[in-house]
Amino acid sequence: MRKRTRAGLGAVAGGVAVALFASAAGAAPGPGAPGVGDPYYPGAGNGGYDVAHYDIRLTYQPSTDLLNGTTTIIATTTQELSSFNLDFGLKVKSVRVNNVPAQFTNDTADGELIVKPAKPLAKGQPITVAVAYADTPSKVVIDGIANGWKKTPTGALAVDEPQSAAWWYPSNDHPTDKATFDVSVEVPNDVVALSNGSLVRTERNRAGWTRWYWRSTQPQATYLTSLEVGKYDVNLQTTPDGKPFITGYGNDLGDSLDAAKASVERTPEINEFLASKFGPYPFEAQGGVVTTGINFSLENQTRPVYGARNFLKGANTSLVAHENAHMWFGDSVALGKWSDIWLNEGFASYAQFLWSEEQGEGTADELAQFTYDSIPADDPFWTVLPANPGADKQFDDAVYDRGALALHALRKTVGDASFFKILQTWTTVKKGKTAVIPEFVALVEKVSGKPLYDLFQTWLYTPAKPAVGPNGQSVAVAARAAVREPKSYQQIHETHRLLAEEHQH
């Protein structure tokens, strides 16, 4: 969720009207676009091809931070190409396109690898791109950002949002181009290598080293693909419905270890509850990793990564509910543009309201009303628009809290039956795809049969505190005054505050 990278691109955000994946004009082969034209990060992603699969095969030595290996990309061209870009910041040794050596320009500072095949590529052509590379990622700076790869005392973390892939594998780095993944990483025997999906096997092919093989079989965005190398206690388990359930806990968690386990080990139970609200769990595996190497938490697909500080005050199943709600909202249904971040964070935050109600620690009505009442009308909080907060406010706490209030206002307007039908229809028709906010609004109006333009304008697009609270006109002033602080409020509020604080760094 949290810490923005490639922040320098945010300066060009705003009213940029660029069509995503615009085709090159004319019939002659031309270069693929160096970005998809995202309004917040125009340089993210690339045009001219669509990736189906990444095979990432690496060796990593923690003592030197040397990462080397090959990433093989299976893709299809979407236009005639004389050249194309990959988002990547490490030093490249060679590139082959369809087994033939290709020319390349390795602009590490901009995070762009420009590939020129030996012959132009026809539109609709299957291509195989193999990139061999070696570098020390913690020393790599891309667009002025140096924290996409986080060196730790025993290893490293490739965990961040909106971009982290460019520090460890070449890709089309935008959520609109999902793919399946095989990730195999060889590390010294005294550390482990964790990633997404299912653990296929481990192998010891040479003295002192172990290779870990991970596979993700469902479409996955590049920033949700993670790597955690270090000294972790790894638990290999199975969920009640037979899915791999794999967790890892850093050996330096100290007093936070038991609280972390008391939270993350309940993931299958929490996902069963969320499935009752959102529809079937969308992926083939579950799990979680807890580390001191980051302070934030991120919804990496099938295996969220949690910063240890979130468990300093004890168990925090609310955070586990938030990150796993992203499996439906943000991972399975991914963003079409980064400005639509409400579709991720507002929904995951509302899942915390639902989990609080399930645990008897405050109802969604109470949490929504107390949050609304606690923030004065002149607070800058209300000037941030959840539907388009701007690149510099993309992870502002208003995106989480006001975003959740917007969903509660919707629920109170359409009723529980329609509300949860809307959520389950959304996660079904958009499974494995990307989406933007207008598509959600259209589905809401179709399912509910109500015109709801004014509601969304009030809660998502107006830079002011709504005159009527999220529970609607029927909530009397006396009833509002009687609402005490729900038990879960402080933990939910603190979680969102920490996420927003981390974003400022």
Side-chain angles (χ1 to χ4, degrees):
M1 255 167 261
R2 311 311 178 233
K3 203 167 176 182
R4 286 174 60 242
T5 58
R6 301 185 76 173
L9 293 172
V12 297
V16 180
V18 182
L20 299 184
F21 297 111
S23 298
V36 300
D38 189 281
Y40 286 3
Y41 309 103
N46 305 288
Y49 61 93
D50 180 72
V51 178
H53 183 73
Y54 294 92
D55 183 87
I56 304 169
R57 185 179 178 88
L58 305 171
T59 295
Y60 179 65
Q61 175 53 269
S63 63
T64 61
D65 195 42
L66 178 63
L67 182 75
N68 69 87
T70 300
T71 290
T72 303
I73 300 169
I74 307 299
T76 302
T77 58
T78 58
Q79 67 178 72
E80 292 186 77
L81 288 172
S82 59
S83 66
F84 60 90
N85 285 31
L86 293 167
D87 296 303
F88 196 47
L90 304 191
K91 295 175 183 176
V92 172
K93 297 190 291 185
S94 67
V95 179
R96 286 176 172 262
V97 178
N98 295 335
N99 293 304
V100 179
Q103 297 179 28
F104 63 92
T105 302
N106 194 193
D107 189 345
T108 57
D110 288 340
E112 294 289 342
L113 174 61
I114 304 171
V115 179
K116 185 177 181 180
K119 295 181 179 179
L121 303 174
K123 181 179 180 180
Q125 176 182 346
I127 59 173
T128 300
V129 183
V131 181
Y133 51 96
D135 209 340
T136 52
S138 63
K139 296 180 181 180
V140 171
V141 178
I142 302 173
D143 290 327
I145 302 299
N147 62 358
W149 177 274
K150 297 155 181 65
K151 186 73 181 72
T152 68
T154 64
L157 300 168
V159 178
D160 217 324
E161 182 184 15
Q163 286 98 15
S164 63
W167 278 265
W168 67 292
Y169 70 96
S171 70
N172 191 15
D173 195 13
H174 192 269
T176 46
D177 194 1
K178 293 183 175 185
T180 57
F181 283 79
D182 281 307
V183 177
S184 74
V185 182
E186 185 184 48
V187 294
N189 290 342
D190 63 342
V191 296
V192 304
L194 300 169
S195 190
N196 309 74
S198 302
L199 179 62
V200 178
R201 66 186 183 278
T202 60
E203 291 180 348
R204 293 190 175 185
N205 296 320
R206 60 175 174 141
W209 293 80
T210 301
R211 181 169 291 277
W212 297 69
Y213 292 84
W214 298 90
R215 171 164 288 178
S216 297
T217 61
Q218 298 298 312
Q220 184 168 289
T222 46
Y223 82 95
L224 296 171
T225 306
S226 65
L227 176 64
E228 302 87 42
V229 175
K231 294 188 177 181
Y232 293 88
D233 176 19
V234 179
N235 300 319
L236 306 178
Q237 306 168 76
T238 304
T239 65
D241 62 349
K243 292 182 175 65
F245 173 49
I246 303 171
T247 55
Y249 301 92
N251 71 345
D252 58 349
L253 296 184
D255 292 342
S256 294
L257 175 61
D258 289 339
K261 285 186 174 181
S263 308
V264 178
E265 291 299 312
R266 292 181 66 185
T267 297
E269 173 197 352
I270 292 169
N271 279 332
E272 286 179 13
F273 167 74
L274 295 176
S276 73
K277 303 297 182 181
F278 304 152
Y281 180 77
F283 300 121
E284 73 275 22
Q286 299 185 30
V289 178
V290 184
T291 175
T292 60
I294 56 174
N295 289 325
F296 59 101
S297 298
L298 182 63
E299 63 272 16
N300 302 97
Q301 191 159 306
T302 70
R303 194 152 294 112
V305 181
Y306 303 93
R309 78 166 177 175
N310 291 284
F311 306 102
L312 287 174
K313 296 181 181 179
N316 192 349
T317 57
S318 180
L319 176 62
V320 176
H322 180 109
E323 300 303 343
N324 279 277
H326 278 304
M327 298 304 116
W328 287 264
F329 304 100
D331 292 16
S332 178
V333 185
L335 296 175
K337 306 188 307 296
W338 279 106
S339 54
D340 295 291
I341 190 66
W342 173 70
L343 292 174
N344 288 14
E345 301 305 345
F347 289 63
S349 297
Y350 195 67
Q352 293 176 271
F353 286 17
L354 299 175
W355 178 246
S356 170
E357 190 165 86
E358 170 71 7
Q359 296 298 294
E361 296 182 347
T363 67
D365 280 0
E366 292 167 344
L367 283 162
Q369 194 65 50
F370 191 84
T371 301
Y372 174 84
D373 291 342
S374 298
I375 305 173
D378 60 355
D379 194 298
F381 170 94
W382 296 108
T383 65
V384 178
L385 305 181
N388 189 10
D392 60 332
K393 296 283 188 181
Q394 187 178 354
F395 302 106
D396 191 90
D397 55 354
V399 175
Y400 300 85
D401 292 319
R402 184 175 178 178
L405 298 188
L407 284 168
H408 192 70
L410 173 63
R411 179 181 177 183
K412 301 306 288 188
T413 299
V414 303
D416 278 13
S418 287
F419 179 74
F420 290 108
K421 182 180 180 181
I422 288 165
L423 297 188
Q424 293 184 25
T425 302
W426 179 250
T427 59
T428 298
V429 300
K430 287 293 184 179
K431 182 179 179 180
K433 302 175 183 177
T434 58
V436 293
I437 291 173
E439 291 177 300
F440 180 75
V441 174
L443 183 138
V444 167
E445 294 188 328
K446 179 179 180 180
V447 173
S448 70
K450 295 184 176 183
L452 295 167
Y453 174 85
D454 289 344
L455 182 146
F456 286 106
Q457 282 295 120
T458 297
W459 285 98
L460 298 182
Y461 293 97
T462 303
K465 183 174 183 175
V468 178
N471 284 305
Q473 292 279 13
S474 62
V475 179
V477 173
R480 290 203 306 268
V483 175
R484 297 182 178 181
E485 181 177 306
K487 292 180 181 178
S488 62
Y489 174 79
Q490 285 299 330
Q491 187 172 68
I492 294 173
H493 181 70
E494 177 74 359
T495 297
H496 296 170
R497 186 189 68 78
L498 290 175
L499 296 172
E501 176 186 299
E502 180 65 20
H503 170 62
Q504 302 302 321
H505 293 175

